[in-house]
């Protein structure tokens, strides 16, 4: 799935593409590790930094190049957000990341709790 995010970044001419935005794990409530492809198009060539926000912010990289492509290996819990910030620390773009599991959280009973006989 390709997700293009563009918000109030028109004034500084910056866009990005993040793919994928969902990580799939086998069991619910377990951390998920996946590769994310990120492409930033920065026609104004201003300095920006990309952060991963879960419980706290973690800076991933900074750049001022016009087109920046990078593959990142991320480990996230239930939810995380990628943030693109300018030199003043203002969030210009954000992209939520989520975790989906192949197994259900609910467990079904094998036997009924009551019997007729």
């Amino acid at each position: 799935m390709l997700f293009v995010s563009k918000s109030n970044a028109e004034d500084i001419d910056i866009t990005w593409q993040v793919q994928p935005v969902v990580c799939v794990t086998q069991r619910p409530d377990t951390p998920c590790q996946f590769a994310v492809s990120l492409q930033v198009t920065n026609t104004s060539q201003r300095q920006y930094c990309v952060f991963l926000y879960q419980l706290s912010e973690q800076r991933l990289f900074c750049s001022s190049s016009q087109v920046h492509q990078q593959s990142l290996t991320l480990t996230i819990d239930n939810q995380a957000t990628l943030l693109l910030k300018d030199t003043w620390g203002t969030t210009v773009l954000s992209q939520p990341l989520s975790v989906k599991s192949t197994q259900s959280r609910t467990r079904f009973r094998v036997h009924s709790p009551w019997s007729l006989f």
Side-chain angles (χ1 to χ4, degrees):
M1 175 204 279
L2 177 68
F3 194 91
V4 179
S5 177
K6 189 169 184 175
S7 63
N8 56 353
E10 289 90 9
D11 56 338
I12 61 169
D13 296 323
I14 196 163
T15 59
W16 70 354
Q17 296 177 344
V18 180
Q19 101 178 38
V21 294
V22 176
C23 182
V24 179
T25 184
Q26 289 185 354
R27 285 183 259 151
D29 298 325
T30 59
C32 190
Q33 183 175 8
F34 68 123
V36 174
S37 173
L38 181 69
Q39 178 178 337
V40 180
T41 304
N42 178 16
T43 56
S44 63
Q45 291 186 320
R46 293 186 185 178
Q47 178 76 23
Y48 63 88
C49 293
V50 174
F51 292 83
L52 176 66
Y53 180 77
Q54 288 189 88
L55 298 175
S56 63
E57 284 185 357
Q58 174 190 359
R59 187 172 72 186
L60 301 175
F61 67 89
C62 293
S63 178
S64 61
S65 60
Q66 192 168 12
V67 176
H68 182 90
Q69 290 183 318
Q70 188 160 350
S71 255
L72 304 168
T73 301
L74 303 176
T75 302
I76 63 172
D77 293 328
N78 291 332
Q79 293 181 2
T81 304
L82 282 176
L83 304 171
L84 188 137
K85 294 186 174 193
D86 61 14
T87 53
W88 297 281
T90 305
T91 300
V92 178
L93 295 168
S94 66
Q95 174 60 58
L97 304 173
S98 61
V99 176
K100 302 288 183 189
S101 64
T102 57
Q103 289 181 357
S104 172
R105 290 180 186 240
T106 58
R107 295 181 63 186
F108 299 100
R109 292 181 185 234
V110 177
H111 299 288
S112 179
W114 52 272
S115 175
L116 294 174
F117 300 102

